[in-house]
Amino acid sequence: MESDFDLLEHWRNGDRNAGTRLFERHFKPLYRFFRNKVGDDAEDLVQQTFLACVQARDGFRGDASFRTYLFTVARNKIHQHFSRHQRKQGAIDFGVTSVIDLGVSVQRLLAQREEHRHLLHALRKLPVDLQIALELHYFENLSGPELAVVLEVPEGTVRSRLRRGRELLREALTELASSERADSTLTSIESWAEEIRDRVLGPKSP
């Protein structure tokens, strides 16, 4: 089976079939990445991310997996998306500003369990880069070294960001429910990850 990077190179050289195969391999995780941040704009940002990968021939240094390369491009796209829509307010500090602070309303996340709805809403109350770190860690199972590549920080900083993210997430959950319910939700994140990413954050069936 051809590697992701082989398919990308073929796509760059005009092979549309290679592009289709690469898109099918990675569409769902990319869609999930954007879904809890931009709602219905997720599919458009997926398209933009793949296009950027095709156009940026020198963007990959060869020291990361294709998945981390793809999420690095996706993180840049989400930053650009918010910056473009908040131009009048000046530069955005993504280590401080949340999706909710930016006035983004994410509709139609059909989570049946109340805990899932609270968790997804609480994640949107975190600074954008902390939301990205936690969601990639829990929903996409990225390791510390992989997150370091995507977030463009040392691995030690990743650990501190995950720790800080969980602290803020607990505070946000406590605002939405009791502290006991918040603790229960935090404890259950890993066990719920598969259900949330497939049933709630995944693309709708045609």
Side-chain angles (χ1 to χ4, degrees), residues 13-183:
N13 291 325
D15 185 344
R16 292 186 179 181
N17 181 58
T20 298
R21 290 161 62 192
L22 189 64
F23 188 87
E24 289 174 348
R25 282 185 190 180
H26 295 283
F27 173 76
K28 286 184 178 180
L30 262 189
Y31 183 91
R32 288 192 296 262
F33 174 84
F34 290 117
R35 188 70 175 95
N36 198 38
K37 303 172 188 68
V38 299
D40 290 340
D41 287 333
E43 192 161 346
D44 181 56
L45 285 172
V46 170
Q47 300 277 358
Q48 291 183 34
T49 299
F50 276 108
L51 181 60
C53 290
V54 173
Q55 294 175 337
R57 288 184 174 273
D58 299 324
F60 176 66
R61 300 190 307 269
D63 56 357
S65 68
F66 182 78
R67 185 170 70 149
T68 57
Y69 172 53
L70 199 59
F71 282 126
T72 301
V73 176
R75 175 174 171 261
N76 290 334
K77 284 296 172 186
I78 202 79
H79 283 189
Q80 292 169 14
H81 174 82
F82 289 138
S83 296
R84 192 164 53 247
H85 286 81
Q86 297 290 321
R87 193 172 300 162
K88 293 182 179 179
Q89 281 71 38
I92 299 170
D93 184 346
F94 292 102
V96 175
T97 306
S98 72
V99 168
I100 288 178
D101 291 336
L102 293 169
V104 179
S105 178
V106 178
Q107 303 294 334
R108 296 190 297 173
L109 287 180
L110 302 178
Q112 294 184 347
R113 296 187 62 159
E114 183 180 50
E115 293 92 338
H116 293 183
R117 292 194 298 272
H118 285 168
L119 174 59
L120 292 169
H121 184 70
L123 283 164
R124 294 196 296 276
K125 298 183 75 171
L126 303 185
V128 172
D129 274 348
L130 290 185
Q131 180 184 356
I132 289 172
L134 287 183
E135 290 185 356
L136 288 179
H137 176 67
Y138 285 111
F139 297 153
E140 306 302 336
N141 299 312
L142 261 65
S143 66
E146 289 175 317
L147 284 170
V149 173
V150 175
L151 300 175
E152 301 177 292
V153 297
E155 192 174 342
T157 303
V158 169
R159 289 192 291 271
S160 65
R161 285 192 183 183
L162 289 174
R163 184 168 56 251
R164 179 58 176 159
R166 283 189 285 264
E167 290 172 356
L168 292 177
L169 186 63
R170 187 190 184 284
E171 293 176 11
L173 285 167
T174 301
E175 291 178 5
L176 297 170
S178 65
S179 58
E180 293 81 6
R181 181 70 67 84
D183 287 337

